[in-house]
C-alpha cells in the first residue's frame, strides 16, 4: 500500500511532467504556479495547532492543481482525523491527472471553476479548513464580463467592493468566505503586493473586519518561493469570526514560516486599510516627515511616461526613421530605457535633442488615416506594416483613435526611474535624472513637472533645478523604499502617487526662500 510520502513523490513527478507540457507563457497568463512541497508542508505544520480541539477536519482547496496542500494534509494527519476533503480545479490539464493520482483516497475532486459555484447552504456541509494558493491572474487578463460577474458576486456575499485592478486571487479569497464554516480556519498563500497597493485596501478591510486575522507572514522578496514566478509572497491565517476589540496579529517576516527572522505582535489599529503593511511587518517605521509636512506632490505634478502600445514599432533610431523617410516633424525625441541610459544628466544640442550615443524618436501623429494616406505616403506604408503585425488590435492601440496616436507627455526637467533593484546594501534602486533636452520619456520613468510656485522660483534662481536634482538624489533610500512596493527577486517599483507622497523636506534647503503649502489640486501640465 502506498504511503502519503510515496504519493507526494508521484505528485511531484506528475507536476513536473504537466508543467513541461504547457508553455511557460500560458501558465503565467493563467497564474498557475505550483506550491513547492516544503512550503506546503510548512503551512500545514503551522496550521495544525490552530485546528486543535476539532473533532475532525473538513478540508477544501478551491484551486487544487495537482494537490500540494492535500498531500501535505495527508502527511500531517492520520486518515481518521479527516472527515472529508474536496477540491476544485478549473484546468483539465492538471485536474484530470490529479483525479487519477488521488483516486484511492477520500478526496472528492471536481473539474470546475470555483468562482462559478454556489457555496453550501448549511454549516455542516462547509469546510472548517480552507488552504489555497489561488491563481495569480492580473486584472488585465480577466475578461471584462468575468470581472463584472466576480465583482458583483463578491459584493453580494461579503459587501466588499473590490477595485477593478484587483487580481483573480482577491476574488478567490473573498468568495471563499461564504464557503468556510463559522469559526473555520482560512489559510491563503497569496502575492504580498496587496499590502501596499491601492486595490489591496479592500482585501485588507476584509482581513480586518470580516474575519479574525491570526497571523500574516511576509517572505523576504529576495527569497523567492516559486522557481517559475518572480512574485513576493505572503501567507495569511484567519478564523471566520468577528474580530475582538483590542485585537493583535502575529506579524512575521523573512526566513521560513517555522523560523522567521522578525517576530512581533501588531495591534490591528496599526494595520489600517490605507496603510502600507510591508514596512510594518519588516519591523520598519516610516521615515518621519519634517515640520513643513510638505510632500513632493506639493511641488511637482508627477506622471508616468508614455505607454506607446509597441516600443519596437513606435520608437525608432534616427537612422531607421531616415531610411523609412518618415516626416521629421512627426518624430519626437524620446529617452531610452534606464538600462540604456548611462548618464544621470541629459545634455542637449542646439535643437534640444538629447546628446546621447543612440538617439531615439517617437512616432507622434494623430491625424486621421485618410489624411496620412494622402499627405505622408511613406508613413502610410509604415503603418500598414503595423497593421500586418496586429498592433492596431492591441490593448492600448485599439483604444485610441487613430490607433497610432500617442499620449501627450511634454519633456520633464526631472525624471525618476520607475523600477530598480537594490543590488547591494548601499545601492540605489531608483535614479533621478536631470533633463536639459526636449525629449519625452517612456513609461519606465516618472516625469516630474514643477508646479506653478516652484516654476516661479526656478525662473528667479537659474541654478535651482540642479540643486533640486542633487537634493532628490540625497533622499534616504529607506524613505523611497517605504513608499514603493517590492516584488519577488527584489524588484522595487514606484508609482507616481508613491513618489509624490515622499516628504519634501529634503529638497527645501535648496530653496533660498520658504515655500507656502501648495493646495493639493490637479495642475495642468506645462505647455
Amino acid at each position: 500500500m502506498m504511503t502519503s510520502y510515496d504519493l507526494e513523490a508521484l505528485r511531484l513527478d506528475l507536476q513536473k511532467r504537466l508543467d513541461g507540457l504547457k508553455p511557460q507563457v500560458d501558465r503565467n497568463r493563467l497564474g498557475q504556479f505550483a506550491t513547492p512541497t516544503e512550503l506546503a508542508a510548512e503551512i500545514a505544520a503551522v496550521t495544525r495547532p490552530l485546528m486543535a480541539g476539532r473533532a475532525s477536519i473538513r478540508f477544501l482547496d478551491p484551486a487544487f492543481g495537482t494537490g500540494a496542500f492535500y498531500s501535505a494534509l495527508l502527511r500531517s494527519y492520520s486518515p481518521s482525523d479527516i472527515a472529508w476533503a474536496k477540491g476544485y480545479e478549473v484546468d483539465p490539464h492538471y485536474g484530470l491527472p490529479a483525479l487519477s493520482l488521488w483516486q484511492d483516497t477520500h478526496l472528492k475532486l471536481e473539474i470546475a471553476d470555483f468562482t462559478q459555484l454556489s457555496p453550501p447552504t448549511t454549516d455542516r456541509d462547509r469546510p472548517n479548513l480552507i488552504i489555497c494558493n489561488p491563481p495569480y491572474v492580473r486584472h488585465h487578463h480577466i475578461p471584462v464580463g468575468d470581472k463584472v460577474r466576480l465583482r458583483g458576486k463578491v459584493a453580494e456575499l461579503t459587501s466588499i467592493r473590490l477595485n477593478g485592478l484587483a487580481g483573480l486571487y482577491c476574488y478567490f479569497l473573498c468568495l471563499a468566505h461564504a464557503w468556510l464554516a463559522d469559526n473555520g480556519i482560512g489559510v491563503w498563500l497569496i502575492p504580498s503586493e496587496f499590502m501596499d497597493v491601492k486595490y489591496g485596501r479592500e482585501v485588507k478591510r476584509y482581513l480586518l473586519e470580516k474575519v479574525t486575522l491570526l497571523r500574516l507572514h511576509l517572505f523576504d522578496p529576495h527569497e523567492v518561493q516559486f522557481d517559475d514566478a518572480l512574485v513576493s509572497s505572503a501567507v495569511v491565517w484567519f478564523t471566520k469570526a468577528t474580530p475582538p476589540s483590542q485585537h493583535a496579529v502575529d506579524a512575521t517576516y523573512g526566513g521560513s514560516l517555522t523560523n522567521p527572522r522578525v517576530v512581533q505582535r501588531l495591534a490591528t489599529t496599526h494595520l489600517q486599510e490605507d496603510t502600507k503593511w510591508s514596512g510594518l511587518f519588516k519591523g520598519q517605521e516610516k521615515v518621519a516627515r519634517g515640520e513643513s509636512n510638505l510632500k513632493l506632490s506639493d511641488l511637482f505634478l508627477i506622471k508616468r511616461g508614455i505607454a506607446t502600445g509597441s516600443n519596437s514599432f513606435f520608437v525608432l533610431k534616427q537612422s531607421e526613421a531616415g531610411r523609412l523617410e518618415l516626416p521629421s516633424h512627426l518624430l519626437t525625441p524620446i529617452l531610452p530605457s534606464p538600462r540604456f541610459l548611462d548618464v544621470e544628466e541629459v545634455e542637449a544640442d542646439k535643437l534640444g535633442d538629447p546628446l546621447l550615443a543612440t538617439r531615439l524618436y517617437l512616432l507622434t501623429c494623430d491625424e486621421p488615416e485618410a489624411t496620412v494616406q494622402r499627405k505622408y505616403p511613406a508613413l502610410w506604408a509604415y503603418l500598414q506594416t503595423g497593421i500586418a503585425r496586429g498592433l492596431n488590435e492591441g490593448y492600448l492601440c485599439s483604444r485610441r483613435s487613430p490607433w497610432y496616436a500617442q499620449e501627450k507627455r511634454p519633456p520633464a526637467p526631472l525624471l525618476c526611474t520607475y523600477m530598480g533593484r537594490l543590488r547591494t546594501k548601499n545601492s540605489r534602486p531608483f535614479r533621478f535624472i536631470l533633463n536639459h533636452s526636449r525629449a519625452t520619456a517612456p513609461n519606465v520613468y516618472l516625469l516630474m513637472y514643477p508646479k506653478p510656485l516652484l516654476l516661479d522660483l526656478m525662473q528667479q534662481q537659474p541654478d535651482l533645478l540642479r540643486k533640486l536634482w542633487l537634493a532628490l538624489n540625497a533622499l534616504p533610500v529607506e524613505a523611497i523604499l517605504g513608499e514603493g512596493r517590492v516584488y519577488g527577486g527584489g524588484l522595487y517599483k514606484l508609482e507616481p502617487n508613491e513618489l509624490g507622497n515622499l516628504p519634501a523636506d529634503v529638497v527645501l534647503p535648496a530653496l533660498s526662500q520658504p515655500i507656502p503649502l501648495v493646495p493639493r489640486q490637479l495642475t495642468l501640465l506645462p505647455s
Side-chain angles (χ1 to χ4, degrees), residues 114-259:
F114 170 73
T115 71
Q116 297 270 12
L117 303 176
S118 298
T121 56
T122 62
D123 215 46
R124 68 173 181 272
D125 294 325
R126 298 187 179 109
N128 58 12
L129 175 61
I130 294 178
I131 307 180
C132 184
N133 169 17
Y136 180 42
V137 179
R138 292 185 177 274
H139 74 95
H140 49 270
H141 289 312
I142 304 175
V144 174
D146 285 349
K147 190 179 292 188
V148 171
R149 173 182 62 83
L150 290 166
R151 293 182 72 189
K153 196 169 184 179
V154 166
E156 176 189 348
L157 295 177
T158 67
S159 75
I160 296 287
R161 296 192 176 277
L162 287 174
N163 186 291
L165 301 181
L168 188 58
Y169 74 93
C170 301
Y171 295 101
F172 263 75
L173 174 65
C174 294
L175 289 176
H177 184 81
W179 289 71
L180 186 61
D182 290 343
N183 298 307
I185 299 295
V187 189
W188 293 83
L189 171 60
I190 56 179
S192 64
E193 64 185 42
F194 82 91
M195 292 177 150
D196 297 335
V197 297
K198 185 175 180 180
Y199 78 72
R201 290 182 180 181
E202 294 304 312
V203 176
K204 290 187 284 189
R205 187 164 75 86
Y206 169 78
L207 295 174
L208 293 174
E209 298 178 6
K210 300 294 183 180
V211 296
T212 299
L213 186 58
L214 302 175
R215 178 182 172 186
L216 204 163
H217 179 86
L218 174 62
F219 288 103
D220 187 326
H222 296 88
E223 299 168 356
V224 179
Q225 302 303 305
F226 297 87
D227 293 334
D228 51 357
L230 288 178
V231 57
S232 182
S233 304
V235 185
V236 183
W237 288 264
F238 59 76
T239 301
K240 185 181 176 181
T242 303
S245 60
Q246 309 301 316
H247 182 55
V249 177
D250 288 325
T252 57
Y253 172 75
S256 64
L257 297 179
T258 53
N259 187 27

Side-chain angles (χ1 to χ4, degrees), residues 229-351:
L230 288 178
V231 57
S232 182
S233 304
V235 185
V236 183
W237 288 264
F238 59 76
T239 301
K240 185 181 176 181
T242 303
S245 60
Q246 309 301 316
H247 182 55
V249 177
D250 288 325
T252 57
Y253 172 75
S256 64
L257 297 179
T258 53
N259 187 27
R261 289 207 307 272
V262 178
V263 179
Q264 57 184 324
R265 291 277 289 173
L266 288 178
T268 51
T269 53
H270 283 74
L271 298 174
Q272 301 303 314
E273 62 195 48
D274 59 350
T275 302
K276 292 197 172 190
W277 285 8
S278 62
L280 298 175
F281 276 70
K282 297 173 188 176
Q284 300 172 346
E285 293 293 336
K286 263 194 168 183
V287 175
R289 298 195 180 280
E291 294 181 358
S292 74
N293 202 34
L294 280 173
K295 302 189 297 183
L296 286 185
S297 60
D298 293 316
L299 305 178
F300 297 95
L301 177 65
I302 304 173
K303 306 283 286 186
R304 279 286 293 276
I306 294 173
T308 68
S310 174
N311 286 355
S312 63
F313 181 80
F314 292 108
V315 178
L316 302 98
K317 292 181 179 179
Q318 189 176 34
S319 57
E320 186 177 10
R323 180 182 60 81
L324 293 168
E325 299 181 342
L326 299 180
S328 59
H329 68 283
L330 298 180
L331 298 171
T332 300
I334 187 170
L335 295 178
S337 68
R339 60 185 174 138
F340 297 117
L341 185 66
D342 56 4
V343 297
E344 307 302 310
E345 183 173 1
V346 179
E347 301 288 355
D349 64 15
K350 293 181 180 180
L351 296 177

Side-chain angles (χ1 to χ4, degrees), residues 27 33 57 92 111 123 169 182 200 235 246 259 301 327 334 344 396 405 415 419 423 436 475 481 524:
R27 290 196 290 122
F33 304 112
I57 294 172
I111 311 301
D123 215 46
Y169 74 93
D182 290 343
V235 185
Q246 309 301 316
N259 187 27
L301 177 65
I334 187 170
E344 307 302 310
L396 289 178
L415 304 96
M419 64 179 71
R423 301 188 184 279
H436 300 285
L475 274 168
L481 299 185
L524 293 178

Side-chain angles (χ1 to χ4, degrees), residues 85-114:
K86 295 180 180 179
Y88 298 103
E89 173 53 47
V90 68
D91 188 352
H93 177 76
Y94 291 98
L96 292 175
L99 271 171
S100 178
L101 174 67
W102 301 111
Q103 62 183 343
D104 293 330
T105 70
H106 295 297
L107 174 73
K108 180 182 178 182
L109 176 61
E110 294 184 30
I111 311 301
D113 180 355
F114 170 73

